[in-house]
Amino acid sequence: MVSDQRVIYLDHAATTPARPEVVEAMLPYFHDRFGNPSSIYRIARESRKVVESARESVARALGAEPGEIYFTSGGTESDNWAIKGVAFANRKRGDHIITSAIEHHAVLYPTRYLAKQGFSVTFLPVDATGLADPGMLEDAITEKTTLISIMTANNEIGTIEPVREIGKIARDHGIPFHTDAVQAVGHIPLSVKDDNIDLLSLSAHKFNGPKGVGVLYIRKGTRIDPFLHGGAQERNRRAGTENLAGIVGLATALDFAVQSLPREMERQKRFRDRLIAGLLSSVPHSRLNGHPEKRLPGNVNISFEYVEGESILLSLDAYGICASTGSACTSGSLEPSHVLLAIGLTHEVAHGSLRLTLGEENTDEEIDTVLETVPGIIGKLRAMSPLYPGKEKECHV
Amino acid sequence: MYSEKVMDHFANPRNVGEIENPDGVGEVGNPVCGDIMRMYLKIEDNRIVDVKFKTFGCGAAIASSSMATELVKGKTLEEAWEISNKAVAEALEGLPPIKMHCSVLAEEAIHTAINDYRVKQGLPPWEEKSPHHHEGGEGCELPDE
Ligand SMILES: Cc1ncc(COP(=O)(O)O)c(C=O)c1O
Ligand SMILES: [Zn+2]
């Protein structure tokens, strides 16, 4: 399906291409150095060494100890493990969990599952910019609270939560604090030590690493049940033969991401702000979703009233532009994104959202192309929309 | 995920717009669900001589509207009434299961517009065969969670 049309990829929050150096680093571990890290002969010991050195490198990047890094199959597993593992391990002490209304499904659905299992779950509301309120969180804490899980940065609207403050409150109350940092790691500075984090989920494919490999950071002393039961890998806490090549890819990608972070943050912020300012000024009846400043450097999320998101995506696709939407029509359900509803958007406006997420390979020319293309697409769709009041009404708004 | 036919009708929709002084208008759907279709009919001697639509919705909703207008144009009201959501979906070379409700909306828009015309003529509206005659289409029900 490779066409000669140039693709402008602006969906890096969905996934990123693996860096060539990452793929290069992974290749030997499929064939030449394939030994099972749990075996005892030399090629196995080499595999063990590689896994442990990857663990050390990930620990350094997060401000953690190597013994606190557990390799998993990705963000979803890390989130499931953290939530269910801590909830069940502490069930005798309490059965109350606090999370936010805008978590990724990989956190939201495990907490709903726990609610079905008899746990009580508080879903903290967020304000119109997507921020959770630490004061409100503190008020929600009860004697029975055994876990607080608030994401570091939101995958749809890019809002960066006050994790350090939330972590401090959790720490003061002796409650473990988990954060889904899948969108944050490799994109903004983060330290489990400084940010008072007890458990942290990350996923390699969001920072130019391979898909299907991630990490759960677990602070030493945290009570948590295993999630996958079986072999003795990952110090008896996560069974299953290690994804050797994946782990190497993850550590390599994270190294690159951390090294280039200050430069990439600057670059992407500039693109982000060009897109936001350009689209809001060239398209009437549009609004920015998420926080204007406390925002991932690579996230743009704009609602265009009177049009539906999937039809925007299909139109962009004709120009080779890859993007995403919070509209129901792409979610496999009839409901628009719970995140957009939680920040107070009406269903209509939530259906008309467009998310553009930036990455390393994007260029100024690509941003120009998007800024030239989107207004025409919205105009064409609005001309077709029975909801659109028409140009004559615009000046009254 | 969409057929070439859907993509064609999405990118180049037929009969977009409004009819001044239409003989029948039907609007169905609801912005909460993300799809609204409005269908305008011009009717002469019991025959649909012109049809236009405006749609807010996904690619399948726009393509279904466009295809539905092509299918009813030139038909008698009786013939147009018989065009089912399945016929619209088939003419589009199929729709993904989750998108069948868009073809249901197209059928409903035609029916609503025809009945709008009948009522304006002082005629009794035609009745839907049965509430569950649609094939594979799910209405917009907001989940209770
Ligand atoms: C915030 C967040 N959490 C969790 C996940 C799931 O990660 P993975 O795709 O590695 O399972 C994602 C990815 O979509 C995400 O954006
Ligand atoms: Zn739809």
Side-chain angles (χ1 to χ4, degrees):
Chain A
M1 292 290 288
V2 182
S3 74
D4 39 8
Q5 188 185 21
R6 243 180 66 235
V7 163
I8 300 182
Y9 186 75
L10 288 168
D11 202 13
H12 292 84
T15 195
T16 58
R19 210 183 274 277
E21 298 92 328
V22 167
V23 177
E24 192 73 19
M26 291 171 71
L27 285 175
Y29 298 97
F30 289 105
H31 186 266
D32 297 343
R33 311 188 187 172
F34 67 95
N36 187 324
S38 300
S39 305
I40 65 162
Y41 32 80
R42 190 173 51 79
I43 58 163
R45 293 197 302 274
E46 277 169 7
S47 296
R48 162 65 43 212
K49 248 175 88 196
V50 161
V51 170
E52 294 319 316
S53 100
R55 200 186 307 283
E56 280 162 27
S57 133
V58 171
R60 261 196 313 278
L62 297 178
E65 296 295 322
E68 298 173 318
I69 303 298
Y70 295 84
F71 291 110
T72 67
S73 65
T76 300
E77 184 191 328
S78 295
D79 285 342
N80 270 266
W81 182 12
I83 308 269
K84 295 176 201 169
V86 171
F88 282 114
N90 292 283
R91 197 167 199 177
K92 289 212 178 74
R93 300 173 169 194
D95 57 5
H96 179 232
I97 293 156
I98 302 173
T99 185
S100 86
I102 59 165
E103 297 297 316
H104 189 271
H105 285 166
V107 168
L108 179 62
Y109 290 166
T111 57
R112 282 193 192 163
Y113 167 78
L114 289 176
K116 273 198 196 133
Q117 299 294 313
F119 288 86
S120 78
V121 183
T122 299
F123 296 96
L124 272 191
V126 293
D127 71 11
T129 67
L131 282 179
D133 175 7
M136 218 185 259
L137 177 122
E138 187 152 31
D139 291 342
I141 293 174
T142 73
E143 306 261 273
K144 302 264 187 194
T145 310
T146 55
L147 176 65
I148 294 170
S149 179
I150 307 285
M151 68 201 318
T152 311
N154 185 268
N155 47 301
E156 291 185 42
I157 56 174
T159 300
I160 300 173
E161 300 297 336
V163 282
R164 185 172 299 190
E165 238 177 305
I166 291 169
K168 172 79 165 56
I169 293 168
R171 185 74 43 89
D172 290 346
H173 286 80
I175 301 165
F177 170 49
H178 167 252
T179 191
D180 175 342
V182 168
Q183 292 291 338
V185 169
H187 299 285
I188 56 172
L190 201 62
S191 149
V192 292
K193 198 188 290 152
D194 301 342
D195 296 325
N196 308 309
I197 295 162
D198 298 312
L199 302 108
L200 174 145
S201 306
L202 66 85
S203 180
H205 74 101
K206 307 289 188 180
F207 49 83
N208 302 97
K211 294 168 182 59
V213 60
V215 160
L216 181 62
Y217 158 81
I218 307 175
R219 183 176 293 280
K220 210 180 294 156
T222 304
R223 291 161 64 95
I224 183 167
D225 282 352
F227 184 59
L228 292 184
H229 299 86
Q233 292 88 353
E234 300 296 281
R235 299 175 298 292
N236 268 321
R237 286 179 127 169
R238 197 276 187 184
T241 299
E242 294 84 348
N243 177 359
L244 193 54
I247 288 168
V248 170
L250 182 150
T252 310
L254 187 55
D255 256 1
F256 274 105
V258 169
Q259 272 171 38
S260 58
L261 192 137
R263 176 168 41 87
E264 263 313 297
M265 277 184 69
E266 273 318 301
R267 227 176 58 89
Q268 290 185 23
K269 263 187 199 165
R270 194 166 56 75
F271 289 165
R272 175 194 75 186
D273 295 342
R274 278 192 66 203
L275 283 169
I276 292 173
L279 292 174
L280 291 183
S281 68
S282 63
V283 184
H285 304 284
S286 54
R287 54 157 283 170
L288 177 69
N289 298 316
H291 200 282
E293 287 110 36
K294 295 172 185 169
R295 176 175 206 102
L296 287 172
N299 176 288
V300 175
N301 189 313
I302 291 179
S303 277
F304 300 102
E305 281 185 71
Y306 315 118
V307 295
E308 190 279 324
E310 191 210 73
S311 56
I312 306 175
L313 297 194
L314 287 176
S315 307
L316 285 170
D317 184 43
Y319 293 88
I321 300 170
C322 310
S324 158
T325 174
S327 172
C329 285
T330 56
S331 69
S333 81
L334 294 171
E335 267 285 89
S337 138
H338 66 286
V339 175
L340 298 179
L341 298 180
I343 60 170
L345 264 58
T346 61
H347 277 70
E348 295 93 300
V349 178
H351 281 300
S353 77
L354 173 67
R355 182 187 74 177
L356 305 168
T357 44
L358 298 154
E360 300 235 331
E361 74 288 357
N362 292 133
T363 63
D364 265 303
E365 291 70 45
E366 291 180 334
I367 305 306
D368 292 339
T369 305
V370 173
L371 287 172
E372 283 157 19
T373 309
V374 172
I377 287 173
I378 304 300
K380 184 182 169 204
L381 292 171
R382 280 182 177 167
M384 229 189 278
S385 168
L387 299 175
Y388 189 50
K391 288 236 187 294
E392 69 277 10
K393 297 235 177 98
E394 256 164 35
C395 47
H396 303 294
V397 182
Chain B
M1 73 189 234
Y2 286 135
S3 69
E4 303 236 327
K5 201 88 178 184
V6 171
M7 287 310 295
D8 174 37
H9 276 258
F10 169 74
N12 311 292
R14 330 298 198 246
N15 306 307
V16 181
E18 296 176 18
I19 292 178
E20 258 182 67
N21 306 316
D23 298 305
V25 181
E27 179 170 310
V28 295
N30 158 350
V32 171
C33 309
D35 293 302
I36 301 184
M37 266 177 218
R38 194 187 291 159
M39 199 81 80
Y40 301 83
L41 303 179
K42 190 90 201 153
I43 294 159
E44 278 169 21
D45 301 332
N46 198 47
R47 197 172 283 279
I48 297 172
V49 294
D50 198 11
V51 51
K52 294 264 192 257
F53 81 90
K54 281 204 158 185
T55 290
F56 162 84
C58 61
I62 289 170
S64 295
S65 315
S66 167
M67 182 52 83
T69 61
E70 286 220 310
L71 291 178
V72 300
K73 205 167 187 173
K75 297 277 193 316
T76 66
L77 293 184
E78 287 77 8
E79 288 165 345
W81 186 269
E82 291 304 318
I83 291 167
S84 67
N85 81 291
K86 197 158 163 270
V88 173
E90 274 170 8
L92 287 169
E93 292 166 0
L95 283 173
I98 185 80
K99 297 293 187 179
M100 282 302 284
H101 75 277
C102 297
S103 64
V104 173
L105 276 183
E107 178 190 324
E108 286 174 355
I110 299 168
H111 285 185
T112 309
I114 290 176
N115 273 339
D116 177 57
Y117 166 76
R118 287 185 58 86
V119 170
K120 278 180 187 159
Q121 298 295 307
L123 298 166
W126 284 335
E127 274 178 42
E128 299 287 344
K129 279 178 198 144
S130 83
H132 295 293
H133 71 290
H134 302 304
E135 283 181 54
E138 183 188 349
C140 172
E141 283 165 50
L142 294 181
D144 44 26
E145 274 184 307

